[in-house]
Amino acid sequence: VQLQASGGGLAQAGGSLRLSCAASGRNLNIYNMGWFRQAPGKEREFVAAINWSGGRTSYANSVKGRFAISRDNAENTVYLQMNSLKPEDAAVHYCGREREKFGDLSITTVDYTDWGQGTQVTVSS
């Protein structure tokens, strides 16, 4: 699977961005999908995940109530709506596919693959 993340850019603190993750090469409707981010000098960390049907989601405490993950299986695309952005949200954001079909909705980086190049999110204070 090839994953192409887009939608990043510069936003002011308190602003919004919507990230997209488009997949090609495989139908994603049997895989959970996740968004992770990596700031300079830090490890990649979990942001949000959505199960294969879109009926279950999970969020990092740091983004809960501000971010929303969704998916359109017909379009083979996953989204991350980011509201009330904070300077600490600045990072390269990556989408990944959970390795196991119909998995457990992991929040662990090693359980995901097919990362792609990521999209940069910058937040000005």
Side-chain angles (χ1 to χ4, degrees):
V1 179
Q2 289 188 333
L3 300 177
Q4 179 74 38
S6 62
L10 174 64
Q12 289 188 333
S16 299
L17 286 172
R18 190 191 194 206
L19 306 185
S20 298
C21 173
S24 60
R26 185 180 295 186
N27 200 317
L28 293 182
N29 63 4
I30 58 175
Y31 294 103
N32 303 332
M33 298 293 294
W35 284 98
F36 292 73
R37 65 190 182 190
Q38 188 166 15
K42 295 187 177 181
E43 293 187 353
R44 192 169 298 187
E45 64 175 9
F46 169 74
V47 176
I50 188 166
N51 81 325
W52 57 275
S53 69
R56 191 158 61 102
T57 58
S58 180
Y59 295 94
N61 287 335
S62 59
V63 307
K64 201 170 292 184
R66 300 187 298 121
F67 290 12
I69 188 171
S70 60
R71 67 190 298 163
D72 184 337
N73 284 342
E75 296 293 328
N76 230 22
T77 302
V78 180
Y79 303 97
L80 184 68
Q81 178 67 44
M82 305 188 296
N83 299 326
S84 302
L85 283 163
K86 302 177 180 180
E88 51 264 41
D89 294 320
V92 178
H93 284 64
Y94 299 89
C95 58
R97 173 183 64 84
E98 192 171 344
R99 297 178 188 272
E100 298 296 324
K101 298 176 185 178
F102 307 111
D104 293 331
L105 200 59
S106 171
I107 64 171
T108 305
T109 309
V110 296
D111 290 331
Y112 287 79
T113 187
D114 299 335
W115 291 109
Q117 87 292 349
T119 185
Q120 177 71 51
V121 171
T122 304
V123 183
S124 62
S125 57

